[in-house]
Amino acid sequence: LSPTILTTRTIHKMSESSKEMPPPPEKHRRIRYDLYRGHPNMDMLPQSEMQSILSGLLQECEKDSWKRYLNYGANEGDERFRSALLSFLDRRTRNDDRGDHSYEDSMPASPDEKKDALEHELFITNGVSHGLELLCATCTKPGDEVWVERPSYFLAPKIFESHGLVVKSLPMISDRTNDENDRGDAIGRVDIDRLVHMVEEESVPPPKMMYIIPSYHNPTGTLMTVEERRRLASFAVRNGVLIAADEVYHLLDWEQGGNREMNLPSRRPAGMINFNGICEKASTLTTNGNQREKHHEGRSGCCISVSSFTKIWAPGIRLGWIHAPSFIIERLKNYGYIDSQGGVAPFMGEIMKQAIELGLLDSYLDKLKSEYSERYELVYNMLKEEPRLSIAQNCQVRRQGGYFIWVQFPPGINSNEFLSYSIDKYEVKFMAGGRCDPFPSSKGGASGIAIRSCARLCFADLDRDNLVNATEAFLESFRSYMKSIDKCEFNI
């Protein structure tokens, strides 16, 4: 059965008659340790940096210079802010691995030309969710399909469904793995071979859009390789599919230390926007020999990077960006809602321009990367002492990033049931794997079975001491739960 048969619409109908009961409500249950929330730690927010920026603005000799940012702004965002943002992105990603550079002869030759071209491909938003909302409004229509990873960011499908889109599952590597013990490394990885075969050999209609999280995936923390990115982009351009890449964690990463897999490469795979160049070289034929529809005639690229300052500065500033081909940017600029309001958050744009130009964003991001690297290693080393837990890791690149650790329990363990036990007995909350499954009520499919035996743990929110205590409590709860299961089986 094709994975794309599963839709959130059909799953909702199935859940009405499902005999599986949801976990008990948590409203009146005490939570001492919260490993669920994907929030930054309150004490790590850039308070002193913000004070410095705001004080500087108010103390300028020419005090009228910043008043322009209290007025309406350009639809795509202030030009000076976008220029500063582009410089920041170029500086932080110039060493990213783009793989085969054979297509780059179609890019602008000089640095100035390249900068001018890229500046026209940036659009300022209120964050990733706002960016996805705008893409749905300007690039899709009700009834269109969007295919998503399984598991995925648990709130994204709601955005798509709000626009009348039909959410379906991308084929996943874990769909074709029969042995539950072998599914750990496969969870969250798109089966690109199967995707190509479905659309180009079996004539399954392609979606309008694919939503992926290629860099430090939420919830699994995994990283899509350069080759996977290139193949996915090539598939998309051949079949006229837009790729919306949620890259909010792309810059929040680090090289893994210790002696683990030291023979692996350590360069970070480049963001999806960098693979639009293959569109110039892509074949005009699908693999079954049919002429590709000219979905992008006169246009270049199908990959759209959606990101924000949420994870690398602060969620409260509500500022992000879309990096996309120029035809997408033109649609966004001419969208009625944007055209009416006159751009997004011009004053906060000036704040972040100052953060970039003063070097505060760079220094703060470096501090975050160091802190999160240490937190990740701390929790990882504690969890790996329990041999019955399997911890998701990047097997082909020596890098880690984001906010989360994805833990797989032994086969047959239902994470929802363990979550209820953990809260009741040890007051520890985490995100059960099923919460990250866009199709949680589906009874079939190897991916769904595997996801329900997993959990997402956030290492960003709690302070260090509480993080250690929470991880210890999680492990103690797991060991106690396994004993209770063994006892029940013995009594039976």
Side-chain angles (χ1 to χ4, degrees):
L1 193 64
S2 168
T4 57
I5 296 299
L6 289 177
T7 73
T8 52
R9 189 171 297 173
T10 57
I11 293 304
H12 291 163
K13 292 179 180 178
M14 292 169 61
S15 64
E16 294 175 2
S17 58
S18 173
K19 295 181 180 179
E20 182 177 343
M21 297 298 291
E26 299 168 4
K27 184 176 181 181
H28 302 295
R29 301 160 80 184
R30 172 179 163 82
I31 306 296
R32 185 177 182 186
Y33 299 117
D34 192 344
L35 294 167
Y36 177 102
R37 293 199 319 171
H39 291 196
N41 181 268
M42 188 68 71
D43 293 333
M44 290 176 59
L45 293 173
Q47 181 177 347
S48 62
E49 289 85 352
M50 287 293 292
Q51 288 176 333
S52 176
I53 293 169
L54 293 171
S55 296
L57 282 176
L58 296 175
Q59 293 173 7
E60 284 182 349
C61 296
E62 188 182 347
K63 292 185 178 180
D64 289 343
S65 63
W66 59 270
K67 288 185 179 179
R68 63 185 296 242
Y69 302 106
L70 297 178
N71 213 328
Y72 294 109
N75 285 9
E76 64 272 33
D78 179 73
E79 181 179 357
R80 284 176 282 192
F81 169 45
R82 289 185 297 114
S83 179
L85 174 58
L86 178 67
S87 296
F88 169 77
L89 294 175
D90 181 66
R91 183 169 62 254
R92 303 296 301 206
T93 62
R94 64 181 52 168
N95 293 323
D96 285 3
D97 187 0
R98 292 162 176 79
D100 183 0
H101 293 266
S102 62
Y103 61 85
E104 290 186 349
D105 55 2
S106 64
M107 296 295 286
S110 72
D112 288 340
E113 288 175 333
K114 185 174 181 180
K115 183 176 180 180
D116 289 343
L118 290 177
E119 279 183 346
H120 287 96
E121 296 180 347
L122 280 178
F123 184 92
I124 304 306
T125 69
N126 283 132
V128 170
S129 296
H130 185 225
L132 294 176
E133 172 76 15
L134 290 174
L135 290 174
C136 289
T138 57
C139 299
T140 69
K141 63 182 184 300
D144 284 344
E145 293 183 2
V146 55
W147 292 2
V148 304
E149 296 160 314
R150 187 181 190 194
S152 184
Y153 169 49
F154 69 103
L155 293 176
K158 291 183 179 180
I159 299 174
F160 305 134
E161 290 172 334
S162 295
H163 286 269
L165 303 182
V166 179
V167 182
K168 293 186 177 182
S169 175
L170 281 160
M172 308 302 293
I173 295 289
S174 52
D175 290 330
R176 55 183 170 93
T177 306
N178 293 322
D179 187 347
E180 288 190 59
N181 292 302
D182 293 334
R183 286 192 197 127
D185 293 337
I187 297 176
R189 290 182 57 207
V190 177
D191 189 343
I192 302 176
D193 288 335
R194 176 64 181 145
L195 175 65
V196 172
H197 186 79
M198 284 167 51
V199 173
E200 298 181 0
E201 299 292 336
E202 298 178 354
S203 299
V204 174
K208 182 69 174 181
M209 182 187 296
M210 296 186 293
Y211 169 71
I212 61 173
I213 309 171
S215 298
Y216 315 110
H217 184 270
N218 179 3
T220 66
T222 53
L223 191 62
M224 189 177 285
T225 67
V226 171
E227 180 60 23
E228 288 172 328
R229 293 168 193 244
R230 287 182 57 81
R231 292 187 63 206
L232 204 57
S234 181
F235 164 83
V237 72
R238 287 199 308 270
N239 295 282
V241 179
L242 294 176
I243 297 179
D246 183 341
E247 298 185 332
V248 71
Y249 296 108
H250 186 76
L251 299 178
L252 188 63
D253 73 334
W254 50 88
E255 183 176 342
Q256 285 183 285
N259 296 317
R260 298 197 304 272
E261 306 293 345
M262 293 304 291
N263 59 321
L264 296 176
S266 61
R267 289 176 65 196
R268 175 179 57 207
M272 288 302 297
I273 189 70
N274 293 279
F275 297 94
N276 276 326
I278 67 172
C279 298
E280 303 296 331
K281 300 286 185 178
S283 170
T284 59
L285 296 178
T286 61
T287 56
N288 62 9
N290 295 328
Q291 185 70 32
R292 173 171 56 89
E293 291 185 44
K294 295 183 179 180
H295 291 274
H296 297 299
E297 185 174 8
R299 304 166 181 172
S300 176
C302 57
C303 299
I304 304 167
S305 292
V306 188
S307 193
S308 81
F309 294 100
T310 299
K311 310 302 182 186
I312 62 174
W313 187 257
I317 65 167
R318 307 313 309 150
L319 200 65
W321 63 91
I322 292 174
H323 202 177
S326 57
F327 76 93
I328 296 291
I329 301 300
E330 287 302 312
R331 290 184 187 179
L332 296 169
K333 287 164 58 177
N334 294 318
Y335 182 44
Y337 146 62
I338 293 294
D339 201 28
S340 173
Q341 76 164 17
V344 174
F347 183 73
M348 289 312 303
E350 172 62 12
I351 296 294
M352 290 314 300
K353 180 173 78 71
Q354 293 287 329
I356 293 170
E357 292 179 344
L358 294 172
L360 295 174
L361 180 56
D362 278 305
S363 61
Y364 178 71
L365 178 54
D366 289 340
K367 182 171 67 175
L368 283 184
K369 286 159 65 83
S370 176
E371 173 68 20
Y372 288 141
S373 172
E374 293 176 7
R375 284 167 168 257
Y376 174 86
E377 291 293 328
L378 178 66
V379 177
Y380 172 85
N381 288 328
M382 294 178 67
L383 293 174
K384 75 175 184 178
E385 294 301 317
E386 172 50 66
R388 291 171 292 184
L389 297 177
S390 176
I391 306 168
Q393 292 226 283
N394 291 311
C395 299
Q396 301 185 53
V397 182
R398 197 170 69 250
R399 298 194 74 83
Q400 198 61 50
Y403 274 11
F404 309 112
I405 289 181
W406 182 251
V407 178
Q408 185 177 22
F409 304 120
I413 299 299
N414 185 302
S415 58
N416 269 329
E417 294 175 0
F418 172 45
L419 172 62
S420 181
Y421 180 92
S422 181
I423 292 175
D424 286 342
K425 304 292 185 181
Y426 291 86
E427 300 174 345
V428 180
K429 183 180 180 182
F430 54 85
M431 182 173 286
R435 185 72 175 93
C436 308
D437 186 356
F439 316 98
S441 299
S442 169
K443 296 297 183 182
S447 289
I449 294 171
I451 292 168
R452 287 194 290 273
S453 290
C454 295
R456 189 195 80 172
L457 310 182
C458 177
F459 55 82
D461 188 12
L462 300 176
D463 60 43
R464 286 280 192 111
D465 290 341
N466 275 336
L467 182 60
V468 170
N469 294 336
T471 307
E472 289 176 344
F474 173 82
L475 288 168
E476 187 177 353
S477 176
F478 171 74
R479 289 160 182 156
S480 173
Y481 182 69
M482 294 300 292
K483 286 181 180 179
S484 71
I485 291 178
D486 292 341
K487 184 177 181 180
C488 289
E489 290 179 349
F490 178 79
N491 290 334
I492 291 174

